[in-house]
């Protein structure tokens, strides 16, 4: 393999790697001046470029050729070529008067910059690199630069006075990429975020920088998007409240996102911009633009459309062009191409030199197989930007596939790929390589056909036709030695996911995961998301664990794993993961959010609130946190705070369906049931195609035990949305309640019918089976009930209350063996869900029943009552306002002989709560005074009991018993 070199210039920028011939060529051109350092690639020592004999000889030859060092005047060398910006900053800055174009020098240089530029950090001095990068449309992508030969001569003559010529690499070359023919782009960049504060820019400087940023943005190539991003970051570091620049930065991030690493750093960059613009333009059109961008990045196209429509309504007289563009992207994502084209024509009229809309239009025609129209659009792009890489490649592909012009296609594709210095969509790269391979195969050029087939295979190893071709044309082991490009595979998988093809995407992600020397964490996350979407939760969790192993600092892996584990009720496992994650990044917003989510699902609402409010300090625009806080406060009974957070959630995103539902429930809790009901009905009228609103209304009725209205609502849902699983579940639960209320077997049958339908829609979901078991239990079909519960147990042993219900079935059936089994189940439930009271009350009831059956053993009886008291004490710690628990505790204390504790609790309840509604307390008190022999006091207590419960079933027996005791006392006193 030929030796490669790195070059370091006077600004300490690392360029390369280059071959020896390339460096000599650059010295001849005057791009390397003798001030640079060189190092063998990848890890040699830095030495002056003049210490290399070949480079030094060429430097001397360059000096001797005096005809090659004629200089231009300083004035000429400093000239900058400008053109009218294709995109003017119309939203804020008035259009400037166009300057006349300056003449272009005959000497031109194509710009190529090393790949390492992607990951570098920028300082104030870097701005000079970007100031001279305006393209001239007529000269295409060749950027006018100063003739550096005069300065090169002066510097070199001065430097050779010293024993050794010192110092490092090239030139004024900047921000593009040098890729040799055999190198395939990984195409990964990082999104930038604000790091430092700068001196505020003047109005003219601000206009100039924004103009440059928009000019670069209009060119629709990744290298130009990166330049645009840099300009916008510089603006914002000096003017941190410039909402126009924030909105354009969001647009740039949208274009860069498919080519970004998409790691924690990039996600934080997105969140940082959203956080900043939402603070300074809360509910405004610019924050709306950025939020619609975020929805597009998340592939939530309908959500994006709703945000755009809301923003357009508020836009009034201002320029809507970027919203129209986002609308086109949203419609394209939904495959609604005709609707997209209606808006794209308007965009063309408003900004005729903006390339991206033409490319979108062409791509839609390409996907619709309308190749003639696609060709016209790509040709329009090339009239604006003749060197546009993607347009050239697409035309090359169409030349062959549609126009059958093999030679023309070969020439265009090979020329574009040979000089490739731009990151592009790997799918287009794949199609280009496959087209060239096919062309050369037909031309019987086996060497070139194999070369391009291998390049294509590195992008799509799942293509069997490529594998067969490589095996046929190549030597043994050729296929196995082909390097697979992970990032392109991930990108292709992402495209399939956006089309709803998660199964197909999963295979690309798996190849990407194992393609390099290191496992790819991002690919593992993508696999996990696909598996979770396909309801294969166990494997999804395992892939997230692999993602953490591959990259322990990628916070998204931890958050998703906590989300998935807690969704499956594995709270201990989720907490263990969070404890590991917090050591990696203590102040991470995602980790705090995960703690809040986990606490909420564990019903630890106060803890959820604490973590949620801390998370908001890091990212104040996350509506999921607002919704969590709203629900937590609602469950705690603090309806005012619940309402405030619900209101904030819809202020952040008025188009969020969960936020609107959350708000409806909050106003219902704070201002009355009918307010919440009316709000949900209003949302149903406004958005008749959104199933979540009638679904939420049905649940709202159900929770308030308005079963008739709930039945009507859920029946409406399944009529219009027959795949609504949760509607079937609720119908089953409703008929179960009605069957018990009316003692109606037919309603129990309806209940199981709907629950079975729900189960068939998703056989991996234990919820329908759980409620089916509950319905059978209400109908006293204990054997059938236990069968259903055992199925739930086999699907998810952590499902809440499954062990409790299995214990309850055995408890209801009675018998010593069943009671022992019931107790075992109750203990298991309390271990798995220590924050739920059900298992403790069941254990208490079991101990009480054991005590009652131990009539011949006083010690055994007392011991079981003491255990009963302990279990109810645990339940009271969780629900200290549940009077029923106190009544049962009094009963257990009484049974154990601890009358003092029983009396103390009973009197405390009576003092605090009064007498109304709790007759059982007085019955227990009466029994205690009876046991103590205080019959007259017992008689007074029982009178209160009878007044509260006139039809008490034990009234006559108590009266007869007391009369007998009192009669005996009177007789004995005589």
């Amino acid at each position: 393999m030929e030796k490669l070199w790195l070059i370091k210039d006077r600004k300490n920028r690392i360029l390369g790697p280059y071959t020896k011939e390339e460096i000599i060529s650059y010295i001849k051109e005057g791009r390397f001046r003798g001030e640079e350092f060189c190092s063998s690639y990848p890890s040699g020592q830095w030495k002056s470029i003049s210490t290399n004999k070949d480079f030094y000889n060429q430097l001397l030859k360059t000096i001797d050729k005096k005809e090659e060092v004629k200089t231009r005047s300083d004035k000429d060398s400093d000239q900058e070529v400008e053109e009218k910006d294709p995109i003017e900053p119309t939203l804020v800055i008035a259009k400037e008067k166009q300057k006349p174009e300056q003449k272009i020098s005959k000497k031109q240089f194509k710009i190529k910059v090393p790949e390492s530029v992607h990951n570098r950090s920028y300082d104030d001095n870097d701005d000079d690199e970007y100031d001279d990068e305006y393209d001239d449309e007529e000269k295409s992508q060749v950027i006018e630069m100063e003739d550096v030969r005069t300065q090169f001569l002066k510097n070199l003559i001065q430097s050779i006075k010293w024993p050794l010529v010192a110092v490092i690499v090239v030139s004024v070359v900047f921000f593009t990429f040098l890729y040799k023919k055999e190198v395939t782009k990984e195409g990964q960049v990082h999104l930038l975020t604000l790091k430092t504060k700068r001196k505020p820019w003047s109005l003219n400087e601000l206009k100039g920088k924004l103009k440059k940023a928009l000019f670069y943005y209009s060119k629709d190539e990744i290298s130009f998007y990166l330049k645009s991003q840099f300009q916008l970051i510089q603006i914002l570091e000096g003017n941190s409240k410039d909402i126009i620049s924030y909105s354009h930065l969001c647009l740039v991030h949208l274009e860069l996102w498919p080519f970004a690493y998409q790691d924690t750093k990039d996600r934080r960059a997105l969140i940082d911009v959203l956080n900043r613009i939402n603070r300074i333009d809360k509910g405004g059109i610019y924050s709306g633009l950025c939020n619609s961008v975020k929805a597009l990045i998340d592939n939530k196209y309908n959500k994006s459309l709703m945000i755009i429509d809301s923003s357009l309504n508020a836009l009034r007289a201002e320029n809507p062009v970027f919203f129209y563009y986002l609308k086109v992207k949203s419609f394209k994502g939904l495959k609604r191409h005709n609707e997209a084209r209606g808006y794209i024509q308007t965009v063309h009229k408003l900004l005729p030199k903006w390339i991206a809309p033409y490319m979108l239009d062409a791509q839609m025609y390409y996907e619709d197989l309308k190749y003639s129209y696609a060709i016209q659009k790509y040709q329009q792009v090339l009239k604006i930007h003749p060197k546009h890489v993607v347009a050239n490649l697409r035309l090359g592909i169409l030349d062959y596939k549609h126009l059958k012009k093999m030679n023309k296609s070969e020439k265009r594709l090979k020329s574009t790929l040979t000089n490739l210095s731009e990151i592009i969509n790997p799918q287009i790269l794949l199609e280009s390589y496959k087209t060239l391979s096919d062309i050369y195969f037909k031309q019987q050029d086996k060497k070139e056909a194999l070369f391009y087939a291998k390049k294509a295979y590195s992008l799509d190893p799942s293509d069997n036709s490529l594998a067969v071709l490589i095996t046929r044309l190549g030597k043994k082991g050729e296929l196995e030695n082909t390097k697979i490009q992970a990032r392109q595979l991930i990108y292709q998988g992402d495209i399939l996911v956006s089309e709803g093809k998660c199964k197909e995407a999963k295979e690309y992600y798996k190849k990407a995961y194992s393609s390099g020397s290191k496992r790819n964490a991002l690919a593992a996350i993508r696999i996990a998301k696909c598996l979770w979407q396909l309801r294969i939760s166990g494997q999804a969790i395992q892939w997230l664990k692999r993602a953490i192993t591959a990259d322990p600092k990628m916070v998204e892996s931890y958050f998703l794993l906590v989300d998935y584990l807690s969704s499956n009720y594995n709270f201990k496992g989720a907490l263990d993961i969070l404890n590991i994650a917090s050591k990696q990044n203590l102040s991470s917003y995602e980790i705090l959010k995960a703690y809040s989510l986990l606490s909420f699902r564990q019903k630890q609402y106060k803890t959820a609130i604490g973590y949620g409010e801390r998370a908001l300090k890091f990212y104040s625009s996350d509506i999921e946190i607002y919704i969590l806080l709203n629900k937590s406060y609602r469950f705690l009974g603090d309806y005012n705070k619940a309402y405030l957070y619900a209101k904030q959630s819809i202020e952040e995103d008025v188009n969020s369906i969960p936020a609107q539902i959350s708000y409806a429930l909050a106003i219902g809790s704070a201002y009355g049931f009918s307010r919440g009901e009316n709000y949900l009905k209003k949302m149903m009228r406004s958005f008749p195609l959104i199933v979540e609103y009638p679904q939420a209304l049905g649940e709202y009725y159900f929770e308030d035990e308005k079963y008739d209205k709930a039945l009507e609502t859920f029946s409406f849902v399944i009529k219009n949305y027959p795949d609504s699983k949760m509607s079937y579940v609720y119908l089953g639960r409703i008929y179960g309640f009605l069957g018990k209320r009316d003692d109606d077997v037919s309603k129990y049958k309806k209940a199981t019918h709907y629950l079975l339908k729900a189960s068939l829609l998703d056989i991996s979901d234990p919820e329908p089976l759980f409620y089916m078991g509950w319905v059978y239990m209400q109908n006293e079909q204990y054997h059938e009930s236990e069968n259903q519960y055992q199925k739930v147990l086999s699907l998810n042993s952590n499902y809440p209350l499954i062990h409790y219900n299995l214990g309850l079935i055995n408890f209801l059936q009675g018998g010593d063996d069943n009671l022992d089994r019931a107790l075992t189940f109750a203990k298991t439930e309390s271990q798995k869900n220590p924050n739920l009271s059900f298992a403790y009350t069941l254990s208490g009831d079991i101990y009480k029943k054991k005590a009652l059956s131990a009539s011949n053993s006083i010690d055994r009886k007392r011991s079981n009552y003491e255990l009963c008291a302990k279990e109810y004490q645990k339940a009271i710690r969780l629900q200290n306002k549940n009077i029923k628990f106190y009544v049962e505790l009094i009963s257990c204390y009484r049974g154990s002989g601890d009358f003092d504790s029983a009396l103390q609790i009973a009197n405390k309840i009576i003092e605090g709560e009064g007498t109304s509604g709790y007759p059982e307390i007085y019955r227990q008190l009466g029994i205690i005074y009876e046991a103590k022999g205080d019959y007259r006091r017992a008689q007074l207590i029982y009178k209160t009991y009878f007044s509260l419960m006139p039809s008490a079933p034990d009234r006559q027996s108590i009266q007869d018993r007391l009369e007998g005791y009192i009669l005996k006392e009177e007789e004995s006193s005589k």
Side-chain angles (χ1 to χ4, degrees), residues 147-421:
D147 190 332
V148 299
R149 291 172 295 177
T150 302
Q151 189 60 41
F152 164 78
L153 180 63
K154 289 177 181 177
N155 290 338
L156 190 56
I157 291 173
Q158 185 177 0
S159 67
I160 60 174
K161 293 178 182 177
W162 303 95
L164 290 175
V165 180
V167 230
I168 323 173
V169 175
V170 94
S171 88
V172 268
V173 254
F174 35 68
F175 222 71
T176 260
F177 305 92
L178 178 60
Y179 283 101
K180 300 178 1 149
K181 177 180 174 181
E182 69 273 18
V183 179
T184 301
K185 282 187 188 37
E186 281 298 327
Q188 287 179 284
V189 300
H190 267 309
L191 305 186
L192 298 182
T193 188
L194 282 68
K195 290 184 179 178
T196 59
K197 285 188 176 180
R198 298 173 181 268
K199 183 181 176 182
W201 304 101
S202 69
L203 182 60
N204 286 336
E205 289 173 326
L206 193 64
K207 285 183 179 180
K209 282 192 165 292
L210 185 56
K211 192 173 183 181
K212 281 185 185 179
L214 294 177
F215 172 80
Y216 295 143
Y217 176 72
S218 74
K219 307 303 285 184
D220 187 47
E221 289 190 324
I222 300 305
S223 59
F224 285 97
Y225 285 129
L226 290 167
K227 297 171 193 176
S228 181
Q229 176 186 224
F230 177 67
Q231 291 293 329
L232 292 167
I233 288 291
Q234 281 202 326
I235 290 171
L236 291 166
E237 286 176 345
N239 301 67
S240 61
K241 294 187 177 180
D242 185 63
I243 55 176
I244 306 302
S245 295
Y246 279 121
S247 64
H248 286 304
L249 186 57
C250 290
L251 291 168
V252 171
H253 281 173
L254 174 63
E255 306 298 342
L256 288 176
W257 184 252
F259 305 94
Y261 286 88
Q262 299 183 16
D263 57 8
T264 300
K265 179 179 177 181
D266 289 332
R267 291 186 178 278
R268 285 184 181 170
L270 282 176
I271 288 172
D272 180 62
V273 175
L274 280 169
N275 210 7
R276 289 170 182 269
I277 196 167
N278 282 330
R279 277 201 300 266
I280 59 180
D281 187 44
K282 195 169 187 178
I285 56 173
Y286 303 105
S287 63
L289 185 142
C290 282
N291 283 308
S292 65
V293 164
K294 180 65 166 59
L296 278 170
I297 286 173
D298 294 336
N299 297 324
K300 297 177 180 177
Y301 304 116
N302 283 315
K303 179 180 178 181
S304 174
L305 285 171
M306 285 193 290
I307 296 171
I308 293 164
D309 286 340
S310 176
S311 299
L312 284 171
N313 289 336
L315 202 58
R316 294 174 187 159
E318 298 192 72
N319 195 333
V321 65
F322 297 112
F323 289 100
Y324 288 164
Y325 176 65
L326 293 181
K327 204 157 192 175
V328 171
K329 276 186 164 288
S330 302
F331 281 132
K332 183 180 180 297
L334 294 168
K335 304 295 182 187
R336 291 156 62 179
H337 291 177
N338 288 335
E339 291 169 270
R341 289 193 186 99
Y343 286 94
I344 216 164
Q345 297 307 318
T346 306
V347 175
H348 289 329
K349 289 176 184 176
L350 290 170
L351 292 172
K353 291 187 180 180
W354 184 13
I355 290 172
Y358 292 101
M359 293 299 294
L360 267 180
D361 206 3
Q363 179 61 21
M364 287 189 288
Y365 281 125
Y366 189 87
E367 291 173 6
D368 294 341
L369 308 182
K370 296 179 179 179
Y371 298 129
S372 297
Y373 291 104
I375 289 170
Q376 290 175 19
K377 292 297 175 182
Y378 288 128
Q379 287 172 341
Q380 284 180 292
V381 170
L382 295 184
K383 285 180 182 177
I384 302 169
H385 184 1
K387 295 293 184 181
H388 193 281
V389 173
V390 175
N392 273 296
L393 291 177
R394 281 291 192 202
L395 278 174
I397 294 165
L398 288 167
D399 283 340
Y400 176 66
K401 288 186 175 180
H402 180 60
L403 301 177
K404 309 301 180 186
K405 296 180 179 179
M406 187 183 294
N407 292 334
K408 186 177 180 181
S409 172
E410 176 200 355
K411 184 179 178 181
R412 188 189 292 273
L413 287 174
K414 193 163 185 180
S415 171
T416 306
L417 291 171
T418 301
N419 299 303
L420 192 60
S421 58

Side-chain angles (χ1 to χ4, degrees), residues 112-126:
K112 295 188 177 182
V113 174
E115 191 172 355
S116 59
V117 169
H118 280 301
N119 303 323
R120 60 176 294 195
S121 59
Y122 302 100
D123 56 34
D124 292 347
N125 295 328
D126 291 334

